[in-house]
């Protein structure tokens, strides 16, 4: 966790340095959708050309029991599943309509990148029947590096305020050390099921 925290800080410093030196459109914002899962996600973006942008995001999931649109239970004899963790991700965004060099109020984009996500899960196991066995807590920790793809639109809603809206899809990578089936776990920064790791994008951005 400490190493990942250092990596997150380093990523932010590198991105800030790039932003400060680039003579391009720059923005910073927050994705509102992950708040449903007690996740804070901050995004920054540098746009050197009308057709091309670099987007970077980081954040933290604060002990959520969210597992996705459909709530999957591990079993009748379990309770209090919690997930937390840091994440860091970066994507290249392509705006096809920007190839003509014209600024439009709403622009379509597709993106591709990588995300590094850590997870810290816990779950309380309740013994069946009248067993004298005490309740016990199981914990798992780990990290996941996953390719991500995004699709959506950027809309100008005020002179310096923009809205990114769309979907982000992180590709499922089978792994051990998670509580429950891997496909039905919420992964910080990546999202949850029903389609592998899917997360909505409704990001307000301030441009400067």
């Amino acid at each position: 966790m400490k190493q990942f925290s250092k990596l997150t800080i380093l990523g932010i410093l590198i991105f800030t340095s790039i932003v400060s030196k680039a003579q391009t459109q720059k923005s910073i914002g927050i994705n509102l959708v992950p708040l449903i899962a007690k996740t804070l996600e901050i995004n920054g973006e540098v746009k050197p050309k009308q057709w091309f942008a670099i987007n970077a995001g980081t954040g933290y999931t604060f002990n959520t029991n969210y597992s996705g649109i459909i709530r999957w239970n591990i079993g009748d004899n379990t309770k209090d599943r919690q997930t937390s963790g840091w994440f860091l991700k970066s994507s290249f965004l392509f705006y096809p309509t920007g190839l003509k060099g014209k600024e439009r109020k709403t622009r379509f984009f597709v993106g591709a990148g990588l995300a590094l996500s850590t997870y810290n899960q816990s779950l309380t196991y309740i013994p069946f029947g009248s067993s004298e066995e005490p309740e016990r807590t199981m914990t798992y920790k780990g990290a996941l590096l996953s390719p991500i793809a995004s699709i959506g639109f950027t809309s100008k809603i005020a002179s310096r305020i923009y809205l990114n809206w769309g979907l982000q899809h992180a590709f499922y990578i089978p792994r051990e050390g998670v509580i429950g089936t891997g496909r039905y776990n919420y992964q910080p920064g990546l999202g949850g099921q029903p389609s592998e790791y899917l997360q909505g994008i409704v990001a307000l951005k301030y441009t400067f």
Side-chain angles (χ1 to χ4, degrees):
M1 180 63 72
K2 290 183 178 179
Q3 291 181 344
F4 186 78
S5 298
K6 292 179 180 179
L7 180 60
T8 301
I9 295 172
L10 178 61
I12 293 173
L13 291 175
I14 293 174
F15 182 77
T16 302
S17 176
I18 294 173
V19 168
S20 63
K21 293 179 180 179
Q23 300 299 317
T24 59
Q25 186 182 80
K26 300 172 282 284
S27 63
I28 188 168
I30 180 172
N31 188 5
L32 303 177
V33 175
L35 294 174
I36 299 171
K38 297 182 181 180
T39 298
L40 178 64
E41 180 178 316
I42 304 298
N43 294 283
E45 189 172 298
V46 175
K47 193 175 182 183
K49 303 289 183 180
Q50 288 295 329
W51 55 270
F52 172 71
I54 302 171
N55 185 285
T58 188
Y60 188 80
T61 297
F62 299 87
N63 288 328
T64 183
N65 61 5
Y66 182 81
S67 60
I69 297 174
I70 303 173
R71 188 180 178 86
W72 294 93
N73 292 323
I74 303 300
D76 294 334
N77 62 323
T78 63
K79 65 177 183 179
D80 301 332
R81 178 170 66 167
Q82 300 288 326
T83 300
S84 62
W86 289 93
F87 60 89
L88 180 66
K89 53 188 175 181
S90 181
S91 294
F92 296 96
L93 304 182
F94 172 58
Y95 292 87
T97 58
L99 290 172
K100 295 181 180 180
K102 295 182 179 180
E103 178 78 17
R104 297 188 178 185
K105 187 173 182 179
T106 297
R107 293 161 290 160
F108 170 76
F109 71 81
V110 291
L114 282 174
L116 178 61
S117 172
T118 69
Y119 57 93
N120 185 349
Q121 289 189 308
S122 63
L123 179 75
T124 300
Y125 171 77
I126 307 170
F128 282 111
S130 58
S131 172
E132 295 182 358
E133 181 184 354
E135 295 183 359
R136 68 176 186 271
T137 299
M138 299 180 292
T139 60
Y140 289 93
K141 298 180 180 180
L144 177 66
L145 182 65
S146 173
I148 55 175
S150 59
I151 185 170
F153 297 87
T154 296
S155 299
K156 186 175 183 179
I157 58 178
S159 60
R160 291 185 176 271
I161 306 298
Y162 288 78
L163 179 69
N164 276 15
W165 49 285
L167 288 173
Q168 171 197 282
H169 181 269
F171 295 90
Y172 173 71
I173 299 176
R175 67 196 192 284
E176 301 293 333
V178 292
I179 296 175
T181 304
R183 288 182 182 271
Y184 302 138
N185 273 275
Y186 177 79
Q187 187 70 35
L190 304 186
Q193 44 72 31
S195 176
E196 299 181 353
Y197 292 120
L198 190 67
Q199 178 172 282
I201 301 171
V202 180
L204 281 172
K205 306 187 301 179
Y206 177 78
T207 302
F208 53 95

